[in-house]
């Protein structure tokens, strides 16, 4: 997410807010993008998205559709998606945690939120 978190992104549900510009790789070319989709849908099915009940398949589908509607760029892979984000495009990028670590180790400032595993 952008420095200072101007869009107030704190959890999965925030990714579906209208007008948010989301970046994620294209599922047709990126295995990481497929994991992003599964992560969004799975979190919703497990009841980890505010406002959605556990095992609500229709709600999970609607949530996934709302997030994907917010995607403004489908890059070819996760690294390209992070690079696009670093160029100032989008409000948030859904990517692997290691991409944020890679960018940070290269001296880039990254503001990121990592979803903890449920206990």
């Amino acid at each position: 997410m952008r420095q200072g978190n101007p869009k107030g992104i704190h959890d999965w549900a925030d990714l579906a807010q209208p007008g948010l510009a989301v970046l994620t790789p294209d599922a047709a070319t990126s295995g990481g993008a497929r994991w992003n989709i599964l992560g969004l849908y799975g979190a919703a099915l497990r009841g980890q998205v505010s406002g959605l009940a556990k095992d609500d398949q229709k709600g999970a589908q609607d949530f996934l559709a709302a997030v994907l509607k917010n995607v403004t760029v489908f890059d070819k892979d996760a690294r390209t998606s992070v690079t696009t984000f670093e160029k100032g495009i989008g409000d948030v990028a859904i990517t692997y945690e290691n991409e944020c670590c890679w960018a940070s180790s290269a001296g880039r400032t990254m503001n990121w939120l990592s979803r903890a595993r449920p206990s």
Side-chain angles (χ1 to χ4, degrees):
M1 68 193 98
R2 294 278 162 223
Q3 191 68 29
N5 195 10
K7 298 287 184 166
I9 300 163
H10 299 287
D11 59 22
W12 289 112
D14 293 334
L15 298 177
Q17 62 182 298
L20 188 71
V22 175
L23 304 181
T24 188
D26 188 336
T29 58
S30 169
R34 293 178 195 135
W35 284 113
N36 291 348
I37 289 170
L38 289 171
L40 290 162
Y41 186 75
L45 277 181
R46 289 182 183 91
Q48 297 172 357
V49 175
S50 346
L52 292 179
K54 183 177 180 180
D55 297 324
D56 179 356
Q57 290 185 359
K58 173 81 166 93
Q61 290 171 359
D62 291 345
F63 168 69
L64 179 59
V67 174
L68 292 178
K69 181 179 178 183
N70 284 342
V71 175
T72 55
V73 177
F74 285 104
D75 282 308
K76 67 177 182 163
D77 56 37
R79 180 70 43 93
T80 306
S81 194
V82 169
T83 301
T84 299
F85 184 75
E86 288 176 326
K87 290 178 182 175
I89 298 169
D91 299 313
V92 63
I94 305 171
T95 191
Y96 291 125
E97 184 175 356
N98 72 307
E99 290 298 327
C100 297
C101 294
W102 168 80
S104 293
S105 72
R108 297 175 180 93
T109 302
M110 296 296 292
N111 191 20
W112 52 289
L113 174 68
S114 178
R115 293 297 307 153
R117 291 186 188 137
S119 53

